[in-house]
Amino acid sequence: MKKFIIVIIGLLVSVATSAQVTYTKADSLTICRLLKEAPRKATTLWFARQFHGIPYVAHTLEVNDSEQLVVNTRQLDCTTLVETVTALTICVQQEKRRWEDYLKTLRTLRYRQGVMDGYTSRLHYFTDWIDDKQLMGIVSEIQGPNPPFTALQKVKVGYMSHHPQSYKALKANEALVPIIKRQEQQLTGKTYRYIPKQTIKNTQLLRQTIKDGDIIAITCNKKGLDIAHLGFAVWQKDGLHLLNASSIHHKVVTEPMTIRQYLQKHSTFTGVRIIRIKE
């Protein structure tokens, strides 16, 4: 009888734990397959290229009424591509190749100090993500040399608190808006060095500064935002390209045009910040 009770309790705990994660069987199979097939020294680009062709879909994390860890490998936006690939890379670096290892790593990346505690614990602004993951020793932001890091971004965010109707959780619960606003105020005024888009060229200096697989965060001057888009650095013969979940191509692609050309086509894009996963 005692063993039976222990088994039942164990099942209840398992259900309670799994209830905090949203995924399909296809998602878990994909993650487990990639962790199994990945070379021992698999890079971010190795993992990122496995997602070439996956459809671009926005707002894939906004599917539940309460905050849950969402795993979706069938549909990606620029942020979830970066988080998914980074989590896989870290798992292999640490020789952790189980589904549970991946969930723990993804949670660590997506939430402040790795603790999921409701919607406002998720790192919504990428500057906040960078700062938090640096504090945790997971990534480092490259801030030199100067040149090419000749420009200074002074962060001024407020888009979410000014547009709560655009976010499912904020629209449903107005009490969350002041919390988001306080987080925005804590970020506003911080400064970071970046490479302005006019100076991004196919030079030896830039090739030495930006490495294949670095996370590229595109800075912008759009009111209330800090980062407009994310992807991974890919060097080709003609220069630097961006592997990204593209709303233009509607899928994950390595952008055919160079990132210099790509940035020039967007008037609100000002340059790039560079983030590197620590080994």
Side-chain angles (χ1 to χ4, degrees), residues 197 218-222 228 263 265-271:
K197 65 182 181 181
I218 297 177
T219 56
C220 66
N221 56 21
K222 186 173 181 179
L263 293 173
K265 286 182 174 291
H266 296 81
S267 60
T268 59
F269 292 177
T270 57

Side-chain angles (χ1 to χ4, degrees), residues 114-229:
V115 178
M116 185 175 68
D117 184 21
Y119 180 77
T120 57
S121 68
R122 198 196 314 165
L123 296 159
H124 298 283
Y125 290 97
F126 201 66
T127 292
D128 209 3
W129 189 98
I130 299 168
D131 285 355
D132 192 70
K133 299 315 129 190
Q134 282 201 119
L135 283 173
M136 296 182 75
I138 296 170
V139 304
S140 58
E141 179 166 10
I142 311 304
Q143 293 276 276
N146 178 6
F149 288 89
T150 58
L152 195 67
Q153 179 189 31
K154 187 172 184 179
V155 172
K156 187 176 181 180
V157 291
Y159 190 88
M160 291 181 69
S161 64
H162 282 89
H163 301 86
Q165 296 303 306
S166 299
Y167 299 88
K168 180 181 177 180
L170 300 184
K171 186 177 179 180
N173 187 354
E174 293 182 358
L176 299 179
V177 178
I179 301 173
I180 293 292
K181 189 169 185 177
R182 285 197 295 273
Q183 293 173 354
E184 292 169 340
Q185 290 170 341
Q186 290 170 355
L187 285 175
T188 295
K190 291 187 174 183
T191 57
Y192 304 88
R193 302 207 71 82
Y194 71 96
I195 305 172
K197 65 182 181 181
Q198 296 86 354
T199 65
I200 298 177
K201 299 177 182 178
N202 189 11
T203 64
Q204 188 63 33
L205 174 61
L206 212 63
R207 284 181 177 270
Q208 291 172 348
T209 303
I210 302 174
K211 305 298 183 183
D212 273 332
D214 281 348
I215 299 169
I216 293 180
I218 297 177
T219 56
C220 66
N221 56 21
K222 186 173 181 179
K223 187 175 180 180
L225 293 179
D226 53 339
I227 301 298
H229 192 48

